[in-house]
């Protein structure tokens, strides 16, 4: 048998019995210390990233163990925790701290290891620009009409631009503020500068690539009718041919799963009578 446990802190250690949720583990793992601006209050990722990635970790662990069992015939217990998953999300920043002992500082949208790789304000909104590698920095300087920045020693490399990020951002922002976001997206993409507007969910609903990827789908819910939900993130021909269904009720498939494992009807009835399992009335037949 392969058995996977998911908990806040793991099955062993001083916190094994301690409960936790996404926000608590964002705080306790150090993740919240990375998010925000230098003078802002601690912030967390609004999307429950620790919860979600822990589910992914559990899925990968079980699939890997199933594959291993095909070779060695062994089952085993898999211990997956929110804490370990939250730390795994921070591999780059945590590894940097373990190397040099310097606590990371909150720098908003910027990447601590490269520049420019952050959000900039334009005349009517914000855009994200990543022009730190290859020839993209000198190209950006030319597009913005400031070729003299190419030879500025403060901006000679991505590492130097990280050191002088404040001066670099001030110079770039002065130019970006002169035109709307749509203008900058057009000219930057034409020059092969990586960029994007800062989208809200209304923009996401209208995004042509998200529609093409099938990531917003409709399904029929027995209580709520037609609802729209995020789709499955992996595209494949088989997935495209499989209709979406709403999440099952608690215990809806308990009886059918036990039948698949050759439990008799009497054994299933005994489990129900002892409250060892639950089936909604609609699933009892």
């Amino acid at each position: 048998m392969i058995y996977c446990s998911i908990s806040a802190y793991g099955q062993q250690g001083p916190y094994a019995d301690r409960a936790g949720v996404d926000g608590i583990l964002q705080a306790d793992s150090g993740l919240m210390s990375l998010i925000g601006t230098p003078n802002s209050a601690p912030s967390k990722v609004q999307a429950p990233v620790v919860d979600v990635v822990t589910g992914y970790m559990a899925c990968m662990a079980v699939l890997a163990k199933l594959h291993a069992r095909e070779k060695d015939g062994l089952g085993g217990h898999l211990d997956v925790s929110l804490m370990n998953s939250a730390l795994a999300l921070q591999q780059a920043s945590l590894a940097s701290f373990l190397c040099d002992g310097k606590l990371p500082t909150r720098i908003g949208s910027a990447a601590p290891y490269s520049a420019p790789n952050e959000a900039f304000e334009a005349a009517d909104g914000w855009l994200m620009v990543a022009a730190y590698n290859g020839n993209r920095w000198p190209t950006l300087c030319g597009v913005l009409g400031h070729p003299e920045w190419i030879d500025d020693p403060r901006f000679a490399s991505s590492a130097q631009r990280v050191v002088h990020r404040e001066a670099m951002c001030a110079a770039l922002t002065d130019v970006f503020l002169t035109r709307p976001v749509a203008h900058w997206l057009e000219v930057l993409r034409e020059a092969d500068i990586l960029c994007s507007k800062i989208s809200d969910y209304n923009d996401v609903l209208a995004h042509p690539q998200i529609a093409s990827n099938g990531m917003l789908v409709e399904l029929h819910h027995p209580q709520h009718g037609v609802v729209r939900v995020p789709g499955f993130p992996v595209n494949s021909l088989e997935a495209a041919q499989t209709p979406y269904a709403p999440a099952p009720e608690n215990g809806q498939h308990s009886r059918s799963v036990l039948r698949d494992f050759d439990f008799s009807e009497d054994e299933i009835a005994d489990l129900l009578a002892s409250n060892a399992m639950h089936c909604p009335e609609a699933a009892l037949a």
Side-chain angles (χ1 to χ4, degrees):
M1 176 182 288
I2 296 170
Y3 179 62
C4 181
S5 300
I6 301 178
S7 62
Y9 289 95
Q11 301 300 305
Q12 305 294 327
Y15 286 14
D17 294 329
R18 184 171 293 188
V21 293
D22 181 274
I24 298 301
L25 272 298
Q26 285 198 39
D28 208 6
S29 68
L31 181 58
M32 284 178 63
S33 73
L34 306 179
I35 303 171
T37 55
N39 298 317
S40 69
S43 302
K44 77 180 189 72
V45 183
Q46 286 196 26
V49 291
V50 176
D51 282 349
V52 172
V53 78
T54 301
Y56 289 159
M57 293 290 186
C59 178
M60 288 189 292
V62 170
L63 291 174
K65 190 64 174 174
L66 284 168
H67 180 69
R69 192 177 66 179
E70 292 294 317
K71 298 180 179 180
D72 59 27
L74 300 176
H77 177 226
L78 303 169
D79 182 4
V80 179
S81 68
L82 298 177
M83 173 60 90
N84 287 2
S85 299
L87 292 173
L89 284 170
Q90 303 170 71
Q91 286 190 13
S93 53
L94 184 56
S96 179
F97 172 72
L98 293 173
C99 180
D100 59 25
K102 296 179 180 178
L103 284 170
T105 57
R106 297 193 297 271
I107 51 175
S109 65
Y113 46 81
S114 60
N117 190 5
E118 48 225 292
F120 294 93
E121 187 175 8
D124 63 345
W126 290 77
L127 70 158
M128 184 76 181
V129 178
Y132 56 89
N133 58 355
N135 292 321
R136 287 194 169 106
W137 169 251
T139 300
L140 178 65
C141 296
V143 168
L144 298 184
H146 286 275
E148 72 277 9
W149 292 344
I150 299 172
D151 298 320
D152 189 320
R154 299 172 300 170
F155 308 147
S157 66
S158 179
Q160 283 299 309
R161 293 190 292 273
V162 167
V163 173
H164 300 284
R165 187 187 300 276
E166 185 175 354
M168 178 204 69
C169 287
L172 292 174
T173 298
D174 283 345
V175 180
F176 282 127
L177 282 170
T178 64
R179 298 290 184 89
V181 170
H183 167 81
W184 293 121
L185 294 179
E186 180 179 357
V187 298
L188 293 178
R189 287 171 178 164
E190 180 66 25
D192 192 34
I193 302 296
L194 304 179
C195 60
S196 173
K197 69 178 294 184
I198 308 297
S199 298
D200 61 24
Y201 282 172
N202 286 320
D203 299 315
V204 169
L205 290 179
H207 200 297
Q209 187 60 49
I210 292 173
S212 177
N213 289 350
M215 271 303 294
L216 297 174
V217 300
E218 290 186 351
L219 56 82
H220 294 271
H221 193 280
Q223 279 80 43
H224 304 291
V226 177
V227 295
R228 297 184 75 189
V229 297
F232 187 64
V234 179
N235 293 113
S236 70
L237 180 61
E238 293 79 6
Q241 295 172 340
T242 303
Y244 281 86
E249 294 183 53
N250 184 25
Q252 180 177 336
H253 299 133
S254 296
R255 182 181 287 270
S256 61
V257 169
L258 291 174
R259 285 171 176 159
D260 289 343
F261 282 91
D262 297 324
F263 278 70
S264 70
E265 294 302 316
D266 287 342
E267 289 172 320
I268 294 173
D270 288 342
L271 289 171
L272 285 168
S274 65
N275 292 321
M277 59 176 279
H278 168 75
C279 282
E281 290 298 320
L284 289 176

